[in-house]
Amino acid sequence: MAIDFSLNIGATKSKRVESDKLYDTLIIGGGPAGLNAALYAKRKGLQVGILTQKVGGQVLDTKIVENYLGYSKITGEELMKEFEDHVKEYDVPITDEIQVKKIECKEYKEIHTANNKIYKAKTIIIATGSLPRMLDIPGEKEFYGKGVSYCAICDGSLYQDGIVMVVGGGNAAIGSAIDLSRIAKKVMIVHRSKFRADQILMDRLSELENVEIYLGTVINEIKGQSRMTHVITFDKDSGKEKSIDVEGIFIEIGHIPRTECLQGLIELDDKGEIIIDANGETSEPGIFAAGDVANVKYKQIIIAAAEGAKAALSATEYINKGKH
Amino acid sequence: MAMIDDNSKNQIKTIFEQLKEQVNVVLIVKKEECETCSDTQTFVTEMTDLHEKLVLEVLDESDDKAKELGVTMYPAIVLLDKDNKDYGIKFYGIPAGHEINSFIMGLIEVSGAGEVLPDDVIARIEKINKPIDIKVFITLSCPHCPGAVAKAHKLAFMNKNVNAQMIEANTFNEISTKYNVSGVPKIVINEDTELLGDQPLDAFLNSIEGL
């Protein structure tokens, strides 16, 4: 049996963000954008804290990252551990398990959490990232955790020698299909249009013998009893429906921005992403946004991190100008 | 050959500096029909060798003490405090891969150096007054699983009515099938309440309070 370890506990516990203190900037979110924003803000001398559900964000779901400059190959979790350790060197307080209920702009900005705490800051950087996008088809919710999964690295090993399906055509989908091909007997990839994954991944995929590809195909329904047993697909060219037996379906069709706590406070675009200007500022003065939650087209770790830096520098400038 | 490399060992040693009191780690193995018992024994031996406050005892399933601890599957790890008090904290299967994190958190917790929760949360945990059994099904490649396991174990540590077990789904195929595990972490509370994913402590407590 192969044994490896993915140690991700830091040697020191970080301090917690205090609810009775006024911060220069509070960052909501602990992914690449949030962590890098904290680093930059702290180095500028700002009183900064991170409020997050979980440190690491969706990068944790990525098995291998090969396109973050300086790391030719690193697991998503290791990369996030590097980020976190780097930020912790600066003694930035981090409170996790935080669910933000709403943000209010009074004399200062207030962040209200689900456990009825109020955190105060002169500026806020929203880096809440995104959630997996759902197919929104019958059976998807019903069979979530009963064959329907949004995390291939978590659940893949439960399908040893099984027949699984991956839905999607981007890097995440192809990466998952490659990983699953080593575990499952057969992997089917279903995508509604053409692949848009990096060529390097497509080359690797083409070498695999247990992968079947269905392009121009959508899934109409997921069916089963106590767990899923098959899907109904629809081939757009032939106009025909087909029933395919699968034990598990991994849905990797992108993400939707997490803006539920904003409740109309800030302007969003038609995709629901926060509209930011070239400096990362939102429609509400003193509130900045960065990473996948903002309307920056490309959702990449390095871009999210860089956007976080930009938002922190803009927040610093805002505070220095005494606008708050 | 050592199972844990030197670099990881050094990192773990630094983390173990947080250990407050002695922790008695009990590993229960079975001589036959246990594919992962010997690996688990090597792993737990190497881990406990990293700090003097970690004391390992290896028992066979037939041992009376193993039976007293209520262990039903093998390998099993039970964490007892310095006075051999059993908090109902168990790991079924090897806590390697990502789960090394929940194993370390469990050791720190039972040593008395776990994270202090806000007062309102402590009050809610202390109010639990009926027997609660929490099973957390995991896979070793799941980055979200250690968080769920550590929370379940924390509840067990803080309230004697709560027992919490990590169950490695691939090792214990039969029970995983019984509980229809096809996504992890899957949290089963008192047999019938199910949660999926690394839920916040609040969700654990809401489920428990709703029973």
Side-chain angles (χ1 to χ4, degrees), chain B residues 5 12 15 27 35 49 60 75 92 95 99 139 145-146 199-200 203:
Chain B
D5 64 70
I12 298 167
I15 301 168
L27 168 69
E35 226 178 278
D49 279 348
D60 186 75
Y92 285 117
E99 226 48 49
T139 63
C145 291
Q199 297 289 337

Side-chain angles (χ1 to χ4, degrees), chain A residues 78-260:
Chain A
E78 277 163 358
L79 183 64
M80 291 319 297
K81 170 107 185 346
E82 296 277 344
F83 286 9
E84 188 183 351
D85 284 349
H86 192 168
V87 172
K88 278 184 171 170
E89 277 179 31
Y90 289 84
D91 229 5
V92 173
I94 303 176
T95 301
D96 61 359
E97 295 240 330
I98 287 280
Q99 229 168 335
V100 174
K101 219 164 56 185
K102 61 175 177 183
I103 295 171
E104 280 185 8
C105 297
K106 297 182 178 167
E107 187 189 354
Y108 298 110
K109 319 275 185 246
E110 290 186 0
I111 300 170
H112 296 244
T113 66
N115 58 353
N116 298 316
K117 289 219 164 74
I118 300 170
Y119 297 90
K120 289 191 187 115
K122 295 174 188 170
T123 61
I124 291 176
I125 298 171
I126 300 167
T128 44
S130 54
L131 288 168
R133 183 184 294 278
M134 297 177 71
L135 282 168
D136 224 359
I137 54 168
E140 183 179 18
K141 273 192 189 135
E142 184 187 347
F143 294 109
Y144 171 52
K146 295 169 182 162
V148 175
S149 172
Y150 302 88
C151 181
I153 63 167
C154 302
D155 304 335
S157 70
L158 299 166
Y159 296 91
Q160 212 83 44
D161 299 319
I163 297 172
V164 297
M165 187 174 269
V166 175
V167 189
N171 282 342
I174 304 308
S176 293
I178 294 169
D179 287 340
L180 288 164
S181 74
R182 300 189 190 109
I183 302 165
K185 188 162 69 190
K186 186 160 110 181
V187 180
M188 289 174 267
I189 305 176
V190 174
H191 185 51
R192 62 180 176 177
S193 52
K194 284 181 187 157
F195 286 129
R196 54 188 157 77
D198 293 348
Q199 191 55 44
I200 193 164
L201 290 174
M202 295 312 298
D203 291 346
R204 271 180 227 165
L205 183 77
S206 66
E207 287 166 14
L208 302 170
E209 285 171 0
N210 60 340
V211 175
E212 281 176 14
I213 294 167
Y214 298 86
L215 292 179
T217 304
V218 293
I219 313 256
N220 275 350
E221 192 174 354
I222 297 168
K223 293 184 138 185
Q225 299 276 319
S226 63
R227 52 178 299 161
M228 74 164 288
T229 51
H230 60 287
V231 297
I232 307 295
T233 59
F234 177 77
D235 184 318
K236 291 204 265 188
D237 283 341
S238 68
K240 278 184 185 150
E241 277 200 345
K242 201 165 131 187
S243 168
I244 303 179
D245 289 350
V246 279
E247 291 155 56
I249 184 166
F250 293 87
I251 298 166
E252 306 267 12
I253 53 166
H255 289 81
I256 49 167
R258 302 184 67 170
T259 54
E260 66 275 9

Side-chain angles (χ1 to χ4, degrees), chain B residues 53-66:
Chain B
K53 282 181 180 154
L54 302 174
V55 178
L56 174 65
E57 184 178 11
V58 182
L59 301 175
D60 186 75
E61 49 143 354
S62 59
D63 202 299
D64 283 345
K65 190 172 171 187

Side-chain angles (χ1 to χ4, degrees), chain A residues 1-13 16 54 57 60-61 77 81 96-97 99 114-115 117 143-149 151-160 226-227 247, chain B residues 3-4 8 11-12 14-15 18 36 39 43 94 96-98 100-101 104-105 113-115 118 120 139-144 151 169-170 180-184 186 194 196 198-202:
Chain A
M1 130 183 222
I3 298 192
D4 53 28
F5 303 101
S6 311
L7 193 65
N8 78 345
I9 303 181
T12 49
K13 287 180 206 155
R16 295 177 81 83
K54 188 171 179 164
L60 292 179
D61 290 343
E77 190 175 38
K81 170 107 185 346
D96 61 359
E97 295 240 330
Q99 229 168 335
N115 58 353
K117 289 219 164 74
F143 294 109
Y144 171 52
K146 295 169 182 162
V148 175
S149 172
C151 181
I153 63 167
C154 302
D155 304 335
S157 70
L158 299 166
Y159 296 91
Q160 212 83 44
S226 63
R227 52 178 299 161
E247 291 155 56
Chain B
M3 197 176 265
I4 309 171
S8 301
Q11 285 183 51
I12 298 167
T14 320
I15 301 168
Q18 295 175 40
T36 59
D39 277 341
F43 167 70
I94 185 168
H98 283 270
I100 191 172
N101 299 296
I104 293 172
M105 284 189 271
E115 195 193 352
D120 51 327
T139 63
L140 300 183
S141 58
C142 160
H144 306 286
K151 274 170 257 185
N170 285 311
N180 205 0
V181 177
S182 65
V184 288
K186 177 163 183 170
E194 294 183 356
L196 194 63
D198 179 13
Q199 297 289 337
L201 208 45
D202 207 41

Side-chain angles (χ1 to χ4, degrees), chain B residues 56-125:
Chain B
L56 174 65
E57 184 178 11
V58 182
L59 301 175
D60 186 75
E61 49 143 354
S62 59
D63 202 299
D64 283 345
K65 190 172 171 187
K67 285 175 190 155
E68 268 169 44
L69 291 169
V71 168
T72 52
M73 304 185 291
Y74 314 93
I77 302 166
V78 186
L79 303 185
L80 307 177
D81 75 3
K82 63 178 193 315
D83 303 317
N84 278 322
K85 183 174 170 193
D86 180 9
Y87 293 89
I89 296 176
K90 291 188 180 77
F91 295 84
Y92 285 117
I94 185 168
H98 283 270
E99 226 48 49
I100 191 172
N101 299 296
S102 69
F103 186 56
I104 293 172
M105 284 189 271
L107 293 168
I108 290 172
E109 190 75 65
V110 176
S111 85
E115 195 193 352
V116 180
L117 297 172
D119 288 345
D120 51 327
V121 182
I122 295 176
R124 280 177 79 187
I125 297 171

